[in-house]
Amino acid sequence: MTAEKRTFQAEVSKLLKIVANSLYSEREVFLRELISNASDACDKLRYLALTQPDLTTGDGEYKIKIAADKDAKTLTLSDNGIGMSADELNDNLGTIARSGTEAFVSNLSGDEKKDSGLIGQFGVGFYSAFMIADKVEVLTRRAGESKAHLWSSDGLGEYTVADAEKANRGTIITMHLKDDALEFLEEQRLQHIVKRYSDHIPVPILFVETKDGTTEERPLNEASALWTRSKSDITTEQYGEFYKHVAHAFDEPWLTMHWKAEGVIEYSSLLYVPTQRPFDLFHPERKSRVKLYVKRVFITDDCDGLVPDYLRFLRGVIDCEDLPLNVSRELLQRNPVLQKISSAVTKRVLTELSKKAEKDPEAYGVFWDAYGPVMKEGIYSENGEHKDTLISLARFDTTESDTLVSLADYKKRMKEGQEAIYYIIGESKEALLNSPHIEGFKAKGVEVLLLSDPIDDFWIQAMFEGFEGSPLKSITRGSADLDAVKGADDKTDEDKAADKKDEEKASADIAPLLASIKLALGEAVKDVRESTRLTDSPVCLIADDGDMDINLERLLRQHKQIDKSNPRILEVNTKHAVIKALAKRVKDGKTGQELDDAAHLLLDQARIMEGEAIPDPKAFARRLAMSMERGLVG
């Protein structure tokens, strides 16, 4: 027998220290984690055996067995699933290759109660065995191979992998219990744990006891697939425990959906929306984790097209009666039955979300905060079937509301004369609320959607037809003609006529200044014009009607999709004191270096308000210093 001693990766060592210090508030969940892994191993072999039946020759009944040896102080859990090779032992138990340990450690907050929910979520539940054991041994033999291997560790930084002997396929985990964990050798204690956490496992879990040379096996769980049972026979606690098993999570489900479809296509679904956002939700591969079964036989948990990408946060099971058992994963993607199931499941899930949004808006707001960015992907990618429902489910922060608002709510509050739904896109709600672009809209009481998710730049482009006849319009692009909108502080017709005369006179007075600023800035701006959207700030930058939105251009530039920005239009607030003072100087013929500096300072100020970098900080500092000197010294 050859043995090789190896060192855990640094992240695994850190994890083991956390586990050893009782990360879980209840240590008993170690058994849930190990049973879950054993069940997955049986599922994987059941799938492989569909095309390689020789893998299960002579042992086709899957079982998970638990045995306690009080004399040796050992607890053993075994399965006859797929088993592991030597390389898989190292990959799964010694490194971060598949365990997700690195992501787990990076998400630790230091709050033990909060962090305890992460172990199962990140697939590192095996290490929970070290909470109750000071030594763990894993004897395993992969199905179809003759060699067996023994993994052993005390959880203190090193482990060994040695060649070993094992008569049959599968895995045996032997835990040498700590003195304060001997309670887990009692059958009643183990039975209670299995009943609480793993009764739903569709694999028999047996307690094995040997007395006087006779071995007796007693069942610990019901061993029937939960999703096949009637809803009336399932308790909330059982639904919750199955969620934790299938999602590898410790939180409670935010929404549970269980139904059976009968008719042309028959299938059962038990799906959950997690309360806590899954850690891999924004992974570039955007994979769904819903498990596909055919006639209670696990097929895959990586099936493209089973649920759309924008519902990839769903966890649970879909069990179909109308797919052949030997269906391949490649054929699944083009199978018309699966496509119909996907469409029906999507419709049902969106319907349930709509009901939740109507009945409990506050709870739905929690859901939207977690999954809104993903749901918006659907508005962008849907070809029409579910697009309207997705739009109705969308919620937004706005300038006029402290709670999330739907587009239907927005439409009800539109001002008289308002034709468009206005929005602004940026990096955060706080930054958007401070944007100079919304000043005129606030003054008129016109509501503006505050969009701060990266996907907002893209789904908004898919809203070609607007919403219920109203186009969606960015307030950072094109002109902002708010004159037609009737605000709360609107004046009488006589006052408006008088104001119009004053504005015409002011425009005539300001025209030379605008021309001078345009001449000073040259190609740095596309145009310089009066603003109707500004009330407090002197200037702002906007995109022309046919140009790309400012935030989208910034995003593409950050990801090196475009090299440089297009020149923008500089809008000037003709009622601002600074602008009036500059206009007077131009009228008096003072158009030298002082005006040139002022024009560039105003442009740089507008860039700063947009969150953009100043192209020439040195020149900006010089101009600012000169301006301060002129103002202070006189």
Side-chain angles (χ1 to χ4, degrees), residues 387-517:
K387 187 173 180 179
D388 289 343
T389 306
L390 285 165
I391 292 171
S392 70
L393 286 169
R395 297 293 184 268
F396 308 95
D397 289 309
T398 76
T399 54
E400 300 294 316
S401 176
D402 294 329
T403 58
L404 292 174
V405 172
S406 67
L407 289 181
D409 293 334
Y410 183 102
K411 280 279 292 184
K412 292 175 183 176
R413 298 203 289 258
M414 285 175 61
K415 296 291 184 180
E416 184 181 342
Q418 181 183 344
E419 296 181 353
I421 296 173
Y422 294 105
Y423 68 88
I424 181 172
I425 304 178
E427 294 184 356
S428 70
K429 176 184 176 182
E430 292 71 23
L432 293 176
L433 284 171
N434 291 320
S435 171
H437 296 94
I438 68 174
E439 292 173 1
F441 293 85
K442 277 186 174 181
K444 280 274 190 178
V446 175
E447 194 165 16
V448 178
L449 304 180
L450 306 174
L451 310 181
S452 56
D453 293 323
I455 187 65
D456 287 330
D457 280 298
F458 301 96
W459 74 261
I460 207 83
Q461 308 302 322
M463 297 290 290
F464 308 112
E465 299 177 359
F467 178 76
E468 295 182 356
S470 297
L472 274 69
K473 185 173 182 179
S474 171
I475 66 170
T476 64
R477 181 193 296 168
S479 59
D481 185 8
L482 295 175
D483 291 340
V485 179
K486 187 175 181 180
D489 58 346
D490 272 354
K491 300 178 181 180
T492 64
D493 292 340
E494 292 181 359
D495 290 336
K496 286 182 179 179
D499 286 346
K500 188 174 182 180
K501 290 183 179 180
D502 292 339
E503 288 171 2
E504 290 174 353
K505 182 178 184 301
S507 295
D509 293 340
I510 208 76
L513 173 63
L514 299 183
S516 298
I517 293 177

Side-chain angles (χ1 to χ4, degrees), residues 131-142:
M131 289 192 301
I132 53 96
D134 49 26
K135 182 181 180 181
V136 178
E137 296 172 322
V138 180
L139 177 62
T140 186
R141 175 180 161 186
R142 184 172 175 82

Side-chain angles (χ1 to χ4, degrees), residues 84-307:
M84 289 180 281
S85 65
D87 288 340
E88 287 171 331
L89 268 177
N90 182 60
D91 288 345
N92 292 334
L93 306 185
T95 73
I96 62 171
R98 292 184 179 87
S99 68
T101 312
E102 185 174 43
F104 169 85
V105 172
S106 67
N107 278 268
L108 289 175
S109 66
D111 182 339
E112 287 191 0
K113 185 176 181 180
K114 181 179 179 181
D115 293 339
S116 66
L118 295 176
I119 278 196
Q121 184 182 2
F122 283 87
V124 294
F126 166 78
Y127 302 117
S128 62
F130 286 102
M131 289 192 301
I132 53 96
D134 49 26
K135 182 181 180 181
V136 178
E137 296 172 322
V138 180
L139 177 62
T140 186
R141 175 180 161 186
R142 184 172 175 82
E145 296 184 1
S146 57
K147 286 185 177 181
H149 307 278
L150 178 65
W151 182 97
S152 179
S153 177
D154 58 7
L156 298 179
E158 293 182 335
Y159 65 96
T160 61
V161 177
D163 294 335
E165 297 294 330
K166 190 176 186 299
N168 303 307
R169 70 171 192 269
T171 299
I172 302 173
I173 300 175
T174 303
M175 292 157 278
H176 298 262
L177 301 190
K178 299 175 181 179
D179 290 337
D180 64 350
L182 299 182
E183 63 182 284
F184 298 111
L185 296 174
E186 301 295 334
E187 180 182 358
Q188 286 187 333
R189 182 78 170 100
L190 296 170
Q191 185 176 31
H192 172 76
I193 297 171
V194 171
K195 200 71 177 175
R196 179 180 179 185
Y197 295 108
S198 307
D199 196 46
H200 54 269
I201 298 290
V203 178
I205 303 172
L206 307 172
F207 183 79
V208 181
E209 186 177 31
T210 302
K211 285 184 179 181
D212 302 324
T214 302
T215 300
E216 183 180 354
E217 297 180 351
R218 292 186 287 274
L220 297 177
N221 70 325
E222 190 169 324
S224 65
L226 190 74
W227 61 89
T228 62
R229 303 184 204 171
S230 171
K231 292 172 66 174
S232 60
D233 296 334
I234 305 173
T235 66
T236 301
E237 184 178 25
Q238 287 174 321
Y239 273 128
E241 290 307 329
F242 183 71
Y243 160 72
K244 293 171 185 176
H245 162 71
V246 76
H248 292 288
F250 276 77
D251 62 326
E252 295 298 326
W254 180 81
L255 180 63
T256 301
M257 296 167 283
H258 184 194
W259 77 94
K260 184 174 182 179
E262 297 178 335
V264 178
I265 299 176
E266 293 190 6
Y267 65 92
S268 297
S269 289
L270 177 50
L271 299 176
Y272 301 90
V273 176
T275 297
Q276 294 181 2
R277 188 162 63 188
F279 76 97
D280 59 350
L281 190 64
F282 297 108
H283 193 278
E285 293 181 352
R286 303 194 306 168
K287 289 185 177 181
S288 165
R289 302 299 178 189
V290 173
K291 294 187 176 184
L292 175 66
Y293 282 72
V294 175
K295 299 178 177 69
R296 265 67 67 198
V297 176
F298 172 73
I299 302 299
T300 182
D301 60 357
D302 183 15
C303 179
D304 288 339
L306 184 57
V307 296

